[in-house]
């Protein structure tokens, strides 16, 4: 694969980028999770109508999809590792980015699990796009369901805060610093085209 170089974005070689599996999982999960957050907030604001039920089914289905994908992503990440850190970052920024990434991984597990326990312990289904219901692995227990609902609610705020930091940092690197940080996670061809069109 050819190197992608550009003065304003810095140079980036394949070895400095996340591999295809990691990039695909990152962007697929980003789309799923950002949609789940939007729908979750919408459901929390809507009155109990049929529309809310339909949107909640999609929310739960997206959340369970995220749980299935993180089960693949985390072992892959632990086995394959990450490319060496961008030389555009100082040591303090690297540590800050690592802390946010670890928090995001923890939240990608805790959010769907707390949502699942909230629904199933509360006596509701955990559906997947109307095709099937995920098995009920926790007993029906109203107090447990409410506790999981509170965890889901408070972690949602933490998730939004961590994502606001993560996304604004990525955009700042791309459009203000114009270094190689976003290119590490960007689709290869699009990154090459984007970089060459800048020149
Ligand atoms: C517009 C949205 C997003 C942008 C622009 C973005 C950008 C990036 C970039 C550039 C990196 C590589 C950082 C580096 O190592 O230099 C990264 C890593 C990461 N992103 Fe995102 N991201 C977005 C959304 C999300 C979402 C929704 C999540 C879900 C939790 C997420 C989770 C992660 C994680 C966990 C890593 C660390 C990867 C690893 O080292 O294993 N990102 N992101
Ligand atoms: C990545 C996964 C998920 C994310 C990011 C997420 C995010 C959210 C957010 C932001 C809210 C609104 C705040 C609140 O009321 O708690 C919410 C509500 C909710 N979520 Fe999730 N969620 C996820 C997975 C799930 C799963 C897997 C289920 C169930 C199987 C679920 C069930 C619910 C329920 C029942 C609500 C309450 C809606 C209401 O108050 O009317 N969530 N979620």
């Amino acid at each position: 694969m050819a190197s992608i170089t550009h003065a304003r974005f810095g140079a980036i070689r394949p070895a400095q980028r996340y591999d295809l599996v990691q990039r695909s999982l990152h962007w697929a999960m980003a789309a799923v999770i950002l949609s789940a957050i939007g729908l979750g907030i919408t459901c929390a604001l809507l009155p109990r109508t049929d529309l809310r039920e339909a949107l909640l089914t999609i929310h739960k289905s997206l959340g369970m999809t995220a749980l299935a994908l993180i089960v693949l992503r985390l072992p892959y990440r632990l086995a394959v590792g990450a490319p060496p850190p961008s030389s555009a970052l100082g040591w303090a920024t690297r540590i800050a980015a690592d802390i946010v990434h670890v928090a995001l991984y923890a939240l990608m597990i805790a959010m769907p699990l707390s949502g699942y326990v909230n629904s199933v312990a509360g006596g509701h289904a955990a559906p997947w796009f109307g095709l099937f219901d995920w098995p009920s692995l926790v007993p029906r227990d109203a107090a447990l369901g409410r506790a999981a609902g509170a965890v889901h609610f408070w972690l949602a705020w933490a998730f939004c805060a961590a994502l606001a930091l993560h996304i604004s940092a990525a955009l700042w690197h791309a459009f203000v610093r114009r270094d190689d940080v976003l290119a590490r996670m960007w689709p290869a061809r699009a990154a090459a085209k984007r970089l060459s069109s800048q020149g």
Side-chain angles (χ1 to χ4, degrees), residues 78-169:
L78 293 172
V80 171
S86 165
S87 55
L89 306 183
W91 66 267
T93 322
R94 279 182 204 177
I95 292 174
D98 283 349
I99 291 171
V100 174
H101 292 162
V102 169
L104 288 174
Y105 276 118
L107 287 162
M108 282 190 276
I109 298 168
M111 277 307 286
L113 279 184
S114 57
Y116 171 85
V117 175
N118 172 226
S119 290
V120 172
H124 304 285
W128 200 73
F129 298 109
L131 295 176
F132 63 86
D133 285 350
W134 294 85
S136 302
L137 300 176
V138 286
R140 200 168 163 163
D141 177 337
L144 176 65
R146 276 195 302 276
V151 170
H152 199 64
F153 176 83
W154 289 109
L155 289 186
W157 286 99
F159 211 174
C160 289
L163 281 175
L165 281 175
H166 178 69
I167 295 172
S168 50

Side-chain angles (χ1 to χ4, degrees), residues 29 32-34 36-46 48 52 56 59-67 107-109 111-120 124-127 134 149-154 156-157 159-160:
M29 289 195 73
V32 165
I33 288 169
L34 292 175
I37 291 176
L39 284 174
I41 293 171
T42 308
C43 290
L45 296 174
L46 280 177
R48 293 188 174 268
R52 177 185 174 276
L56 194 53
H59 171 77
K60 291 180 180 182
S61 308
L62 290 171
M64 294 308 287
T65 305
L67 184 59
L107 287 162
M108 282 190 276
I109 298 168
M111 277 307 286
L113 279 184
S114 57
Y116 171 85
V117 175
N118 172 226
S119 290
V120 172
H124 304 285
W134 294 85
V151 170
H152 199 64
F153 176 83
W154 289 109
W157 286 99
F159 211 174
C160 289

Side-chain angles (χ1 to χ4, degrees), residues 174-189:
F175 297 110
V176 181
R177 292 279 304 269
R178 293 171 175 255
D179 56 29
D180 66 356
V181 169
L182 187 59
R184 288 158 58 78
M185 200 47 104
W186 205 246
R189 288 210 185 138

